[in-house]
Amino acid sequence: MKKHFRASLIFLLIAILIILPQLVQHSVILGGDSLFHFNRFFDAEQQIAHGNFQYFMSVYGFSQSGRIVNAIYGPYVAYFNGFILYILKSWFWYQIFTGIFVPFVAGISMYYLLISNKIDYVYAIFTSSLYMLTYGVTNWITGQQFLSWGAMLVPLGLAVATRLIRDRLRPINIVEMSIVTSLFIQTHSLSSLLLIFVYLVFFVISIFNVTNIKKLLANLIASIMITIVLTSNVWLALFEIYRNNKLLAPFKNLLPLQNGVVNFTNDNRLLLIFAMIFIFQIGTMFFKVTRVSLLNRVVTILGGTLLVLTLPIIPWNYLFAHAPLIGIIQFPYRLLPFAEGLLLMGFAITLTELTKHKYINNVTKIGMLLIISITLMNVQSNVYHVSSQWNSDINIISNMNNVEYKQNGEQLRKRFYSRNLGEPLNYVWKPTPDYLPIKNNADILHPYYQYDTEIVKNGNNKKKANKKGIQVEWVSTTNSYHNIGVVKYFDSNILINGHKPIKGEYYTTDLGTLMIKSKLGRNVANISYKPVFLTTNMLFINLFSWIAFLAISLFVILKRFKKKESRWFH
């Protein structure tokens, strides 16, 4: 137990060292996806602060547009981040805390994977530390891509997958598989899809390796059923919203080779040290430097394949154009976390095999420390470079792609230092229109511009969140239709000046924005969202199922621990 605690302290120290350049510069990094996620988490934070829980509608964030985002994009993780923000009351300290949290959990996850696969303790710490420094993990700090929240869980998914080969007698631990898969689905959709693919590869191999195939299938079915229950809030929300609405799909990347692959000449997605390690690992398998186990072959071949798919040698532009389903990944480099996790695990297995029955001497330890130190300095340099933008006199936004702002430089910097978390979001934003309820026949050529115009820059309304949804007030001098800057879904309820509207009193734009016919003088509209009865009740059942499942699992673990049955996780 002491050695596991020692390993955790090492991972915590590395996580702090990664974030140190940002901490020293006291910077808020406004990366590519910062403003989108800031709005998600601000909405959750305000719901917590006011005790006004609106699971579907955004009643505080996203310009109080009433759009649905969190319900179909990691709802529980959004509330977790909202709670952190509620406690810290600072965008800077929120970034510092989560910038430590994500790499730390990634390190713990990788350590669990390696120890589960009987990797030597020293190599487990070394390889886990390296994983913490990969692009997939650290990109939460430098660009706030939510891919990193999936990357921090990747080793846990690989622990479930590798058990299918490693443990012939008990290839599926129902508790482990159910919780890990549910965490993925609750956190990051694309990572979940990739995880299922990895599961499938290992499962097919396990069929020819397992001692009791009936037990394998029975445990798999049990895990699937438990996972469906634990993730029912996600499936129900998707069914609820897509059932009667046509939602605007996320951005389609038409040129992935230009902006979505690992390119050594102009990005830091694959540091040289990792490229060398991966080449070494793949080489040891092909040249049979050591005895290569089945597990090592599988993780190396699969990891190497995924790594190749992130490179510009694949005709991604053609594939995205002619096979739209593949385009769901948007950026091929999103395959990196699984490639890195698999290849680093193979590397750890190889190191363990090379030094089997031999003492790991001080020279080897110094070499590993040197590799970690050089890699850490490279990552710190990237963090420093991005953080330094914050102190610019003119532009403090590190990624300006599709970003709009009213203020910049020192003025905007003061907004982010304010205790009012929503204030800076009114002065800088990214008009991302994902999941808006567009009309069936709508052909929206410039969705970012239209969303920006109809909602974000629409300052002719006074909006206020209430226990039912959003109240909008405006004063009109004519009887014309007025854009209230709130979107309407099929199950949205509307009250106009205290009564339910009749035909002709409102319509929606192609983007789903409500246009309401005004009366002369003061007008009030109330917009709420009422899910179907089944969805409402199942959300409560889902929350209860998490509490019950975790409580039962903890009870069983403690019971076995008392009996000194340490084989629970092995």
Side-chain angles (χ1 to χ4, degrees):
M1 186 61 70
K2 285 184 179 179
K3 67 178 185 179
H4 298 327
F5 179 71
R6 194 184 309 124
S8 299
L9 289 180
I10 293 172
F11 302 146
L12 180 60
L13 175 62
I14 292 173
I16 293 171
L17 289 173
I18 292 172
I19 204 72
L20 196 58
Q22 183 181 0
L23 181 63
V24 169
Q25 295 183 86
H26 208 76
S27 304
V28 176
I29 298 174
L30 301 178
D33 292 337
S34 303
L35 298 168
F36 176 75
H37 293 303
F38 279 7
N39 273 278
R40 290 179 61 211
F41 304 149
F42 170 69
D43 188 77
E45 185 273 339
Q46 287 290 287
Q47 289 186 33
I48 294 168
H50 292 89
N52 181 20
F53 292 97
Q54 303 283 342
Y55 188 83
F56 286 91
M57 292 178 66
S58 298
V59 296
Y60 297 100
F62 296 105
S63 304
Q64 294 187 286
S65 59
R67 61 187 291 190
I68 296 173
V69 178
N70 283 338
I72 53 178
Y73 197 129
Y76 289 161
V77 177
Y79 279 111
F80 172 73
N81 279 272
F83 180 72
I84 295 171
L85 198 53
Y86 171 73
I87 297 297
L88 299 177
K89 290 290 188 293
S90 163
W91 287 114
F92 168 71
W93 286 112
Y94 164 78
Q95 283 200 334
I96 296 300
F97 179 86
T98 56
I100 294 172
F101 177 82
V102 170
F104 175 69
V105 174
I108 295 292
S109 301
M110 192 68 181
Y111 180 76
Y112 174 79
L113 165 66
L114 298 177
I115 292 298
S116 298
N117 284 278
K118 312 300 185 199
I119 301 302
D120 182 272
Y121 176 70
V122 174
Y123 293 142
I125 293 178
F126 170 57
T127 313
S128 299
S129 301
L130 281 176
Y131 184 72
M132 294 172 65
L133 300 169
T134 58
Y135 173 81
V137 174
T138 59
N139 197 41
W140 173 250
I141 298 170
T142 56
Q144 287 77 57
Q145 288 196 22
F146 219 62
L147 173 70
S148 297
W149 286 75
M152 77 177 184
L153 299 176
V154 161
L156 294 180
L158 296 182
V160 175
T162 54
R163 183 187 291 273
L164 287 163
I165 293 178
R166 181 183 76 247
D167 194 337
R168 297 182 65 192
L169 295 176
R170 195 185 181 199
I172 291 179
N173 180 320
I174 296 174
V175 173
E176 182 187 56
M177 177 175 275
S178 302
I179 290 181
V180 169
T181 310
S182 298
L183 284 174
F184 265 83
I185 295 170
Q186 294 284 1
T187 302
H188 193 245
S189 300
L190 180 61
S191 296
S192 304
L193 293 176
L194 293 173
L195 178 67
I196 300 303
F197 167 72
V198 171
Y199 279 173
L200 184 61
V201 172
F202 280 86
F203 180 77
V204 170
I205 296 171
S206 72
I207 291 175
F208 302 97
N209 190 51
V210 71
T211 56
N212 189 336
I213 194 168
K214 289 184 178 180
K215 185 177 179 181
L216 171 70
L217 294 174
N219 287 352
L220 176 64
I221 292 171
S223 297
I224 290 173
M225 297 304 294
I226 293 172
T227 301
I228 289 173
V229 173
L230 293 177
T231 58
S232 57
N233 61 315
V234 177
W235 310 121
L236 284 169
L238 288 170
F239 176 74
E240 165 85 21
I241 298 165
Y242 278 94
R243 179 172 55 96
N244 291 309
N245 297 286
K246 180 183 178 182
L247 303 187
L248 184 64
F251 153 75
K252 291 181 180 179
N253 189 3
L254 301 178
L255 300 171
L257 284 176
Q258 279 69 18
N259 60 10
V261 294
V262 173
N263 191 328
F264 288 98
T265 60
N266 61 9
D267 64 47
N268 294 303
R269 289 175 182 145
L270 187 64
L271 298 178
L272 180 60
I273 189 68
F274 288 114
M276 293 172 63
I277 288 172
F278 297 157
I279 290 172
F280 168 81
Q281 172 56 22
I282 294 170
T284 57
M285 186 189 68
F286 281 105
F287 294 104
K288 298 181 179 179
V289 175
T290 182
R291 185 183 68 83
V292 183
S293 64
L294 172 63
L295 181 60
N296 200 354
R297 285 200 302 271
V298 174
V299 298
T300 303
I301 293 172
L302 182 56
T305 301
L306 291 175
L307 180 64
V308 168
L309 290 175
T310 68
L311 303 176
I313 59 175
I314 305 298
W316 282 113
N317 287 0
Y318 178 85
L319 292 174
F320 274 34
H322 294 84
L325 190 61
I326 296 177
I328 194 173
I329 66 173
Q330 292 182 310
F331 305 99
Y333 68 73
R334 287 180 170 174
L335 302 174
L336 258 182
F338 278 93
E340 291 166 334
L342 286 161
L343 287 170
L344 283 175
M345 180 188 171
F347 180 58
I349 296 174
T350 298
L351 290 178
T352 301
E353 286 293 330
L354 286 171
T355 58
K356 200 170 187 179
H357 308 304
K358 293 181 181 179
Y359 175 71
I360 301 174
N361 58 40
N362 289 331
V363 175
T364 304
K365 292 178 182 178
I366 291 172
M368 290 188 289
L369 181 61
L370 188 61
I371 292 173
I372 292 294
S373 299
I374 293 172
T375 311
L376 176 60
M377 286 189 288
N378 277 327
V379 172
Q380 283 182 320
S381 176
N382 293 338
V383 176
Y384 176 84
H385 175 73
V386 178
S387 299
S388 61
Q389 186 70 46
W390 175 255
N391 295 307
S392 170
D393 293 331
I394 301 172
N395 172 39
I396 67 171
I397 306 166
S398 61
N399 189 318
M400 297 287 289
N401 188 32
N402 287 322
V403 171
E404 299 281 334
Y405 57 89
K406 294 179 183 176
Q407 293 180 351
N408 208 329
E410 179 62 22
Q411 288 181 313
L412 184 57
R413 198 159 36 235
K414 288 180 179 178
R415 302 286 183 188
F416 273 100
Y417 283 145
S418 168
R419 296 280 291 179
N420 183 345
L421 298 172
E423 183 180 349
L425 304 183
N426 294 323
Y427 291 88
V428 60
W429 63 92
K430 188 173 184 177
T432 309
D434 299 359
Y435 316 122
L436 288 175
I438 61 176
K439 289 185 176 179
N440 287 327
N441 57 351
D443 185 17
I444 303 172
L445 298 178
H446 305 288
Y448 277 74
Y449 172 78
Q450 194 164 331
Y451 173 71
D452 197 28
T453 303
E454 291 184 13
I455 294 175
V456 185
K457 291 181 179 178
N458 182 355
N460 299 318
N461 306 289
K462 182 180 178 181
K463 298 178 182 178
K464 181 174 67 175
N466 55 38
K467 293 295 182 181
K468 292 186 177 181
I470 300 172
Q471 178 178 292
V472 186
E473 295 185 23
W474 71 97
V475 176
S476 180
T477 56
T478 67
N479 294 117
S480 60
Y481 284 96
H482 178 81
N483 183 338
I484 67 168
V486 177
V487 296
K488 180 189 181 303
Y489 294 83
F490 180 83
D491 290 311
S492 297
N493 292 323
I494 309 169
L495 286 177
I496 301 176
N497 295 318
H499 69 271
K500 289 188 177 181
I502 60 175
K503 187 177 180 180
E505 284 195 283
Y506 77 89
Y507 70 92
T508 59
T509 67
D510 285 349
L511 212 58
T513 311
L514 273 165
M515 302 290 293
I516 294 179
K517 192 168 187 178
S518 305
K519 68 175 184 179
L520 294 177
R522 178 176 176 269
N523 292 265
V524 179
N526 286 279
I527 300 89
S528 59
Y529 185 90
K530 186 177 181 180
V532 296
F533 180 79
L534 176 62
T535 301
T536 303
N537 286 275
M538 283 302 296
L539 289 176
F540 285 107
I541 293 174
N542 174 264
L543 189 59
F544 175 77
S545 69
W546 269 101
I547 297 171
F549 185 70
L550 292 175
I552 294 170
S553 300
L554 182 62
F555 173 77
V556 173
I557 291 171
L558 291 175
K559 186 177 179 181
R560 293 197 175 201
F561 181 75
K562 287 179 180 179
K563 291 181 179 180
K564 297 183 179 180
E565 291 184 11
S566 59
R567 295 178 61 190
W568 171 257
F569 288 111
H570 301 288

